[in-house]
Short mmCIF file of all heavy atoms in Angstrom, two decimals:
data_model
loop_
_atom_site.label_atom_id
_atom_site.label_comp_id
_atom_site.label_asym_id
_atom_site.label_seq_id
_atom_site.Cartn_x
_atom_site.Cartn_y
_atom_site.Cartn_z
N ALA A 16 0.84 -1.21 0.00
CA ALA A 16 0.00 0.00 0.00
C ALA A 16 0.87 1.25 0.00
O ALA A 16 0.56 2.23 -0.70
CB ALA A 16 -0.95 -0.01 1.20
N ALA A 17 1.96 1.24 0.76
CA ALA A 17 2.86 2.39 0.79
C ALA A 17 3.49 2.61 -0.58
O ALA A 17 3.61 3.75 -1.04
CB ALA A 17 3.94 2.18 1.85
N GLY A 18 3.90 1.54 -1.23
CA GLY A 18 4.45 1.65 -2.57
C GLY A 18 3.44 2.17 -3.56
O GLY A 18 3.76 3.00 -4.43
N HIS A 19 2.22 1.69 -3.44
CA HIS A 19 1.14 2.14 -4.31
C HIS A 19 0.87 3.63 -4.10
O HIS A 19 0.73 4.40 -5.05
CB HIS A 19 -0.10 1.31 -4.05
CG HIS A 19 -1.15 1.42 -5.10
ND1 HIS A 19 -2.20 0.55 -5.16
CD2 HIS A 19 -1.34 2.28 -6.12
CE1 HIS A 19 -2.99 0.89 -6.18
NE2 HIS A 19 -2.48 1.93 -6.77
N LEU A 20 0.83 4.05 -2.84
CA LEU A 20 0.60 5.45 -2.52
C LEU A 20 1.73 6.33 -3.06
O LEU A 20 1.48 7.42 -3.58
CB LEU A 20 0.44 5.65 -1.02
CG LEU A 20 0.05 7.04 -0.55
CD1 LEU A 20 -1.26 7.50 -1.20
CD2 LEU A 20 -0.07 7.07 0.96
N GLU A 21 2.94 5.84 -2.99
CA GLU A 21 4.08 6.58 -3.54
C GLU A 21 3.92 6.75 -5.05
O GLU A 21 4.22 7.81 -5.60
CB GLU A 21 5.40 5.86 -3.20
CG GLU A 21 6.63 6.64 -3.58
CD GLU A 21 6.78 7.98 -2.89
OE1 GLU A 21 6.40 8.11 -1.71
OE2 GLU A 21 7.27 8.92 -3.54
N SER A 22 3.42 5.71 -5.72
CA SER A 22 3.21 5.84 -7.17
C SER A 22 2.09 6.83 -7.48
O SER A 22 2.15 7.55 -8.49
CB SER A 22 2.94 4.47 -7.82
OG SER A 22 1.68 3.98 -7.46
N VAL A 23 1.09 6.92 -6.62
CA VAL A 23 0.02 7.91 -6.80
C VAL A 23 0.58 9.32 -6.63
O VAL A 23 0.25 10.24 -7.38
CB VAL A 23 -1.16 7.65 -5.83
CG1 VAL A 23 -2.19 8.75 -5.92
CG2 VAL A 23 -1.80 6.29 -6.10
N LYS A 24 1.47 9.48 -5.65
CA LYS A 24 2.12 10.77 -5.44
C LYS A 24 2.87 11.19 -6.71
O LYS A 24 2.79 12.35 -7.14
CB LYS A 24 3.07 10.67 -4.26
CG LYS A 24 3.82 11.96 -3.95
CD LYS A 24 4.76 11.75 -2.77
CE LYS A 24 5.75 12.88 -2.72
NZ LYS A 24 7.04 12.47 -2.26
N ARG A 25 3.58 10.24 -7.31
CA ARG A 25 4.31 10.55 -8.55
C ARG A 25 3.33 10.91 -9.69
O ARG A 25 3.63 11.78 -10.51
CB ARG A 25 5.20 9.39 -8.97
CG ARG A 25 6.47 9.29 -8.14
CD ARG A 25 7.47 8.30 -8.71
NE ARG A 25 6.96 6.94 -8.88
CZ ARG A 25 6.94 6.03 -7.91
NH1 ARG A 25 7.41 6.32 -6.70
NH2 ARG A 25 6.47 4.83 -8.14
N MET A 26 2.18 10.25 -9.70
CA MET A 26 1.16 10.58 -10.71
C MET A 26 0.75 12.04 -10.58
O MET A 26 0.62 12.76 -11.58
CB MET A 26 -0.08 9.68 -10.56
CG MET A 26 0.12 8.24 -10.97
SD MET A 26 -1.35 7.23 -10.61
CE MET A 26 -2.51 7.86 -11.82
N VAL A 27 0.52 12.48 -9.35
CA VAL A 27 0.13 13.88 -9.11
C VAL A 27 1.25 14.81 -9.53
O VAL A 27 1.01 15.82 -10.21
CB VAL A 27 -0.25 14.09 -7.62
CG1 VAL A 27 -0.46 15.56 -7.31
CG2 VAL A 27 -1.50 13.28 -7.26
N GLU A 28 2.48 14.48 -9.14
CA GLU A 28 3.62 15.31 -9.50
C GLU A 28 3.79 15.40 -11.02
O GLU A 28 4.22 16.43 -11.53
CB GLU A 28 4.91 14.75 -8.87
CG GLU A 28 4.94 14.89 -7.37
CD GLU A 28 6.08 14.11 -6.72
OE1 GLU A 28 6.66 13.20 -7.35
OE2 GLU A 28 6.36 14.41 -5.54
N ASP A 29 3.44 14.34 -11.72
CA ASP A 29 3.56 14.30 -13.18
C ASP A 29 2.36 14.92 -13.90
O ASP A 29 2.34 14.96 -15.13
CB ASP A 29 3.74 12.85 -13.66
CG ASP A 29 5.06 12.24 -13.20
OD1 ASP A 29 5.96 13.00 -12.79
OD2 ASP A 29 5.18 11.00 -13.25
N GLY A 30 1.39 15.38 -13.11
CA GLY A 30 0.23 16.03 -13.71
C GLY A 30 -0.74 15.07 -14.40
O GLY A 30 -1.45 15.47 -15.32
N ARG A 31 -0.81 13.84 -13.92
CA ARG A 31 -1.71 12.85 -14.51
C ARG A 31 -3.16 13.25 -14.30
O ARG A 31 -3.50 14.03 -13.41
CB ARG A 31 -1.45 11.47 -13.90
CG ARG A 31 -0.07 10.91 -14.17
CD ARG A 31 0.07 10.28 -15.55
NE ARG A 31 -0.75 9.11 -15.70
CZ ARG A 31 -0.39 7.87 -15.38
NH1 ARG A 31 0.81 7.65 -14.88
NH2 ARG A 31 -1.21 6.87 -15.56
N ASP A 32 -4.01 12.68 -15.10
CA ASP A 32 -5.44 12.94 -15.08
C ASP A 32 -6.03 12.69 -13.68
O ASP A 32 -5.73 11.68 -13.04
CB ASP A 32 -6.13 12.03 -16.10
CG ASP A 32 -7.62 12.24 -16.15
OD1 ASP A 32 -8.04 13.31 -16.61
OD2 ASP A 32 -8.35 11.33 -15.70
N CYS A 33 -6.87 13.62 -13.22
CA CYS A 33 -7.47 13.54 -11.88
C CYS A 33 -8.28 12.25 -11.70
O CYS A 33 -8.25 11.64 -10.62
CB CYS A 33 -8.37 14.74 -11.62
SG CYS A 33 -7.45 16.29 -11.48
N ALA A 34 -8.98 11.83 -12.74
CA ALA A 34 -9.79 10.61 -12.63
C ALA A 34 -8.88 9.40 -12.39
O ALA A 34 -9.22 8.52 -11.58
CB ALA A 34 -10.63 10.42 -13.89
N GLU A 35 -7.74 9.35 -13.05
CA GLU A 35 -6.79 8.26 -12.85
C GLU A 35 -6.26 8.28 -11.42
O GLU A 35 -6.14 7.23 -10.77
CB GLU A 35 -5.61 8.37 -13.82
CG GLU A 35 -5.93 8.10 -15.26
CD GLU A 35 -4.70 8.29 -16.14
OE1 GLU A 35 -3.64 7.71 -15.81
OE2 GLU A 35 -4.79 9.03 -17.12
N VAL A 36 -5.92 9.47 -10.94
CA VAL A 36 -5.39 9.61 -9.58
C VAL A 36 -6.44 9.17 -8.57
O VAL A 36 -6.14 8.41 -7.64
CB VAL A 36 -4.94 11.06 -9.31
CG1 VAL A 36 -4.59 11.26 -7.84
CG2 VAL A 36 -3.75 11.44 -10.20
N LEU A 37 -7.67 9.60 -8.75
CA LEU A 37 -8.74 9.22 -7.82
C LEU A 37 -8.98 7.71 -7.83
O LEU A 37 -9.21 7.10 -6.78
CB LEU A 37 -10.02 9.97 -8.14
CG LEU A 37 -9.99 11.46 -7.80
CD1 LEU A 37 -11.21 12.17 -8.39
CD2 LEU A 37 -9.91 11.67 -6.30
N THR A 38 -8.91 7.10 -9.01
CA THR A 38 -9.08 5.65 -9.11
C THR A 38 -7.99 4.93 -8.33
O THR A 38 -8.25 3.97 -7.59
CB THR A 38 -9.06 5.21 -10.59
OG1 THR A 38 -10.16 5.82 -11.25
CG2 THR A 38 -9.15 3.71 -10.72
N GLN A 39 -6.76 5.41 -8.46
CA GLN A 39 -5.64 4.78 -7.75
C GLN A 39 -5.72 5.04 -6.24
O GLN A 39 -5.38 4.16 -5.43
CB GLN A 39 -4.31 5.24 -8.32
CG GLN A 39 -4.07 4.76 -9.73
CD GLN A 39 -4.21 3.25 -9.86
OE1 GLN A 39 -3.63 2.49 -9.10
NE2 GLN A 39 -5.01 2.82 -10.83
N LEU A 40 -6.18 6.22 -5.86
CA LEU A 40 -6.37 6.50 -4.43
C LEU A 40 -7.44 5.58 -3.83
O LEU A 40 -7.32 5.13 -2.69
CB LEU A 40 -6.76 7.96 -4.21
CG LEU A 40 -5.61 8.95 -4.25
CD1 LEU A 40 -6.15 10.38 -4.16
CD2 LEU A 40 -4.61 8.69 -3.13
N ALA A 41 -8.48 5.31 -4.60
CA ALA A 41 -9.53 4.39 -4.13
C ALA A 41 -8.94 3.00 -3.93
O ALA A 41 -9.29 2.30 -2.97
CB ALA A 41 -10.69 4.35 -5.13
N ALA A 42 -8.03 2.59 -4.81
CA ALA A 42 -7.39 1.29 -4.68
C ALA A 42 -6.51 1.24 -3.42
O ALA A 42 -6.51 0.23 -2.70
CB ALA A 42 -6.56 0.97 -5.92
N VAL A 43 -5.79 2.32 -3.14
CA VAL A 43 -4.97 2.38 -1.93
C VAL A 43 -5.86 2.32 -0.70
O VAL A 43 -5.57 1.59 0.26
CB VAL A 43 -4.09 3.66 -1.91
CG1 VAL A 43 -3.41 3.84 -0.56
CG2 VAL A 43 -3.07 3.64 -3.04
N ARG A 44 -6.95 3.08 -0.72
CA ARG A 44 -7.88 3.08 0.42
C ARG A 44 -8.45 1.68 0.64
O ARG A 44 -8.56 1.21 1.78
CB ARG A 44 -8.99 4.10 0.19
CG ARG A 44 -9.94 4.19 1.38
CD ARG A 44 -10.90 5.33 1.27
NE ARG A 44 -11.60 5.34 -0.01
CZ ARG A 44 -12.35 6.33 -0.45
NH1 ARG A 44 -12.51 7.40 0.28
NH2 ARG A 44 -12.94 6.25 -1.61
N ALA A 45 -8.80 0.98 -0.43
CA ALA A 45 -9.33 -0.38 -0.32
C ALA A 45 -8.28 -1.32 0.26
O ALA A 45 -8.59 -2.18 1.11
CB ALA A 45 -9.81 -0.89 -1.68
N ALA A 46 -7.02 -1.16 -0.17
CA ALA A 46 -5.94 -2.01 0.35
C ALA A 46 -5.74 -1.78 1.84
O ALA A 46 -5.55 -2.73 2.62
CB ALA A 46 -4.65 -1.73 -0.42
N ILE A 47 -5.80 -0.53 2.27
CA ILE A 47 -5.64 -0.22 3.70
C ILE A 47 -6.83 -0.78 4.48
O ILE A 47 -6.67 -1.33 5.56
CB ILE A 47 -5.47 1.30 3.91
CG1 ILE A 47 -4.13 1.74 3.33
CG2 ILE A 47 -5.60 1.67 5.38
CD1 ILE A 47 -3.94 3.23 3.25
N GLY A 48 -8.03 -0.64 3.92
CA GLY A 48 -9.22 -1.18 4.58
C GLY A 48 -9.15 -2.68 4.75
O GLY A 48 -9.50 -3.22 5.82
N SER A 49 -8.69 -3.39 3.73
CA SER A 49 -8.61 -4.85 3.84
C SER A 49 -7.52 -5.24 4.84
O SER A 49 -7.65 -6.25 5.55
CB SER A 49 -8.38 -5.51 2.48
OG SER A 49 -7.09 -5.23 1.99
N THR A 50 -6.46 -4.44 4.93
CA THR A 50 -5.42 -4.70 5.93
C THR A 50 -5.98 -4.48 7.33
O THR A 50 -5.70 -5.28 8.24
CB THR A 50 -4.20 -3.79 5.67
OG1 THR A 50 -3.73 -4.01 4.34
CG2 THR A 50 -3.09 -4.09 6.66
N ALA A 51 -6.75 -3.44 7.51
CA ALA A 51 -7.36 -3.18 8.81
C ALA A 51 -8.28 -4.33 9.21
O ALA A 51 -8.30 -4.74 10.38
CB ALA A 51 -8.13 -1.86 8.79
N LYS A 52 -9.03 -4.86 8.26
CA LYS A 52 -9.91 -6.00 8.55
C LYS A 52 -9.10 -7.21 9.00
O LYS A 52 -9.49 -7.93 9.91
CB LYS A 52 -10.75 -6.35 7.33
CG LYS A 52 -11.85 -5.37 7.05
CD LYS A 52 -12.60 -5.77 5.79
CE LYS A 52 -13.52 -4.66 5.34
NZ LYS A 52 -14.17 -5.00 4.06
N LEU A 53 -7.96 -7.44 8.34
CA LEU A 53 -7.09 -8.55 8.72
C LEU A 53 -6.56 -8.36 10.14
O LEU A 53 -6.55 -9.30 10.94
CB LEU A 53 -5.93 -8.67 7.73
CG LEU A 53 -4.96 -9.82 7.94
CD1 LEU A 53 -5.66 -11.17 7.85
CD2 LEU A 53 -3.83 -9.73 6.93
N ILE A 54 -6.14 -7.15 10.47
CA ILE A 54 -5.66 -6.85 11.82
C ILE A 54 -6.78 -7.07 12.84
O ILE A 54 -6.58 -7.69 13.89
CB ILE A 54 -5.12 -5.40 11.91
CG1 ILE A 54 -3.85 -5.27 11.09
CG2 ILE A 54 -4.90 -4.99 13.37
CD1 ILE A 54 -3.39 -3.83 10.90
N LEU A 55 -7.96 -6.58 12.54
CA LEU A 55 -9.10 -6.73 13.44
C LEU A 55 -9.45 -8.20 13.64
O LEU A 55 -9.65 -8.65 14.78
CB LEU A 55 -10.31 -5.96 12.92
CG LEU A 55 -11.57 -6.03 13.76
CD1 LEU A 55 -11.33 -5.52 15.17
CD2 LEU A 55 -12.68 -5.24 13.08
N LYS A 56 -9.49 -8.96 12.57
CA LYS A 56 -9.81 -10.40 12.66
C LYS A 56 -8.77 -11.10 13.53
O LYS A 56 -9.12 -11.88 14.41
CB LYS A 56 -9.85 -11.00 11.26
CG LYS A 56 -10.20 -12.46 11.21
CD LYS A 56 -10.26 -12.93 9.76
CE LYS A 56 -10.70 -14.36 9.63
NZ LYS A 56 -9.66 -15.33 9.88
N ASP A 57 -7.49 -10.82 13.28
CA ASP A 57 -6.43 -11.43 14.05
C ASP A 57 -6.53 -11.04 15.53
O ASP A 57 -6.38 -11.88 16.42
CB ASP A 57 -5.08 -11.01 13.47
CG ASP A 57 -3.91 -11.82 14.01
OD1 ASP A 57 -3.98 -13.06 13.95
OD2 ASP A 57 -2.95 -11.20 14.49
N HIS A 58 -6.83 -9.78 15.76
CA HIS A 58 -6.96 -9.29 17.13
C HIS A 58 -8.12 -9.98 17.85
O HIS A 58 -7.97 -10.41 19.00
CB HIS A 58 -7.16 -7.78 17.13
CG HIS A 58 -7.19 -7.18 18.49
ND1 HIS A 58 -6.10 -7.14 19.32
CD2 HIS A 58 -8.20 -6.59 19.18
CE1 HIS A 58 -6.43 -6.56 20.46
NE2 HIS A 58 -7.70 -6.22 20.40
N ILE A 59 -9.24 -10.11 17.18
CA ILE A 59 -10.40 -10.77 17.80
C ILE A 59 -10.08 -12.22 18.10
O ILE A 59 -10.36 -12.72 19.19
CB ILE A 59 -11.65 -10.64 16.91
CG1 ILE A 59 -12.14 -9.19 16.92
CG2 ILE A 59 -12.75 -11.60 17.35
CD1 ILE A 59 -13.21 -8.89 15.90
N GLU A 60 -9.47 -12.91 17.14
CA GLU A 60 -9.19 -14.34 17.32
C GLU A 60 -8.15 -14.60 18.40
O GLU A 60 -8.22 -15.62 19.09
CB GLU A 60 -8.71 -14.95 16.00
CG GLU A 60 -9.81 -15.06 14.98
CD GLU A 60 -9.32 -15.53 13.62
OE1 GLU A 60 -8.09 -15.73 13.45
OE2 GLU A 60 -10.16 -15.68 12.72
N HIS A 61 -7.17 -13.70 18.55
CA HIS A 61 -6.05 -14.01 19.42
C HIS A 61 -5.96 -13.17 20.68
O HIS A 61 -5.21 -13.52 21.58
CB HIS A 61 -4.74 -13.93 18.64
CG HIS A 61 -4.72 -14.90 17.52
ND1 HIS A 61 -4.51 -16.25 17.71
CD2 HIS A 61 -4.93 -14.74 16.19
CE1 HIS A 61 -4.57 -16.87 16.55
NE2 HIS A 61 -4.82 -15.98 15.62
#
């Protein structure tokens, strides 16, 4: 997720299309959300 976010930052710096940037930000947000779910599941179980 950190690597993906860094690539989104480069997209912004390169002046890439806003729709592309938003799509990639949504993907980063989804990755972080799924990671949080994994942490929560592990925490509940253990």
Side-chain angles (χ1 to χ4, degrees):
H19 195 167
L20 186 57
E21 187 61 36
S22 71
V23 174
K24 179 181 165 215
R25 284 191 303 276
M26 289 175 70
V27 171
E28 291 169 343
D29 293 344
R31 296 279 295 271
D32 180 69
C33 292
E35 291 178 51
V36 171
L37 289 170
T38 297
Q39 293 306 310
L40 281 174
V43 171
R44 183 171 51 191
I47 292 170
S49 70
T50 303
K52 287 178 191 175
L53 182 61
I54 292 169
L55 180 59
K56 181 178 185 280
D57 192 53
H58 184 67
I59 289 170
E60 289 174 358
H61 299 284

